[in-house]
Amino acid sequence: MYVDQPLEEDAIDHFDRLPDPILVSIFNRLQDVKALGRCCAVSKRFHSAALQAESVVVRVDCVISGDSSPSTSSSSASEASTAAARGVFGSLVKLLLGTIFVKPIQALHQILLPKKVVLAEVSHHSPGEVLRNFREIRSLKIVLPGGELGFEDGALLKWRAEFGSSLEGCAILGATSFRRCGANSEAVADEAGDEEEQRFCTNGGLKLRVVWTITSLIAASARHFLLQQIVADHPTLRDLELTDVDGQGTLIMGREQLEELRRAPAEAASATANRTQVPALSMKLWYAPRLVLPTAGLVLEGATLVAIRPIGGHVGRLDGGDGFLVGAFDGAFGEAARAMVKRKTYLLEMNPF
């Protein structure tokens, strides 16, 4: 007798009292595509509202071969690595460095190429297929798995690229090693004397930075090429970011750049290449044998900043003021970039590839 009234109140679905715009707003704040997928299974109303989300994040937890079990994923990844090492990229790896970080490209090809892989908890679907029923997406972020170079591995390599139909700009920050340090009053960058500068140019230092640059550009152009179908499938998309959990590489596209890509699809580097053609480039390179970052409490050894833009191309959103992306990084890496640009500048050019 006493419990009849509470039971009737508990039976009320308070979500039914919410107007659809508020429900869609809630799902926009949720963002995660897996959580939105689970909401779609709750009810027809939730299904309709969740698919109207304008802001979506796709986090790829792991990648396994679509025609193999998880237990054989390691061997499949090894085979993918072998294939990825072919061509220009593989030759550079073997000739100049031997241990270039190819995992982002392996993961990208496994994740985004159709009918090749499945995603954890999203059975037999690529991100493009997972997003297929979302028709109102305006902001999309795809986060690839980790596994590339990190803070514990002793070296640093980060890049940030901006694309339209082709590359509009790229910034690369690298160091041969880095360590923690105590707080100092100001940033200190060891000056490279004539002898140190000669060693940098002749003893493999400059060659290593060229490999870093080409590797980052290939990774960026591969991501750009494989995003084309997603961009074409979602005409409402206004902002796109493709990054990884370690934040090593980030590709960004804004509204105008997305519209440009829809009007003029990217040109492949070759008939068999799964990446965008990289145009002729103008580059600025800064180098410091040792760079102390007091705010971040870091010391970078062999610190290098490379700012890149196409020859004759228009300036992207991340322009640092002179057509180069020196302002692409923030936090500790922004501190490093600001210190680096005060140093001697090396001017380079690169042919299209």
Side-chain angles (χ1 to χ4, degrees), residues 128-147:
E129 293 172 317
V130 170
L131 295 168
R132 182 167 49 193
N133 292 325
F134 289 85
R135 289 302 176 190
E136 304 295 334
I137 298 178
R138 293 181 174 271
S139 176
L140 174 62
K141 181 176 182 179
I142 300 176
V143 184
L144 301 179

Side-chain angles (χ1 to χ4, degrees), residues 61-96:
D61 297 327
C62 67
V63 185
I64 62 174
S65 173
D67 54 4
S68 64
S69 64
S71 62
T72 62
S73 60
S74 296
S75 61
S76 299
S78 177
E79 293 172 3
S81 174
T82 302
R86 297 172 184 165
V88 176
F89 181 48
S91 299
L92 286 167
V93 171
K94 295 176 182 177
L95 178 63
L96 301 179

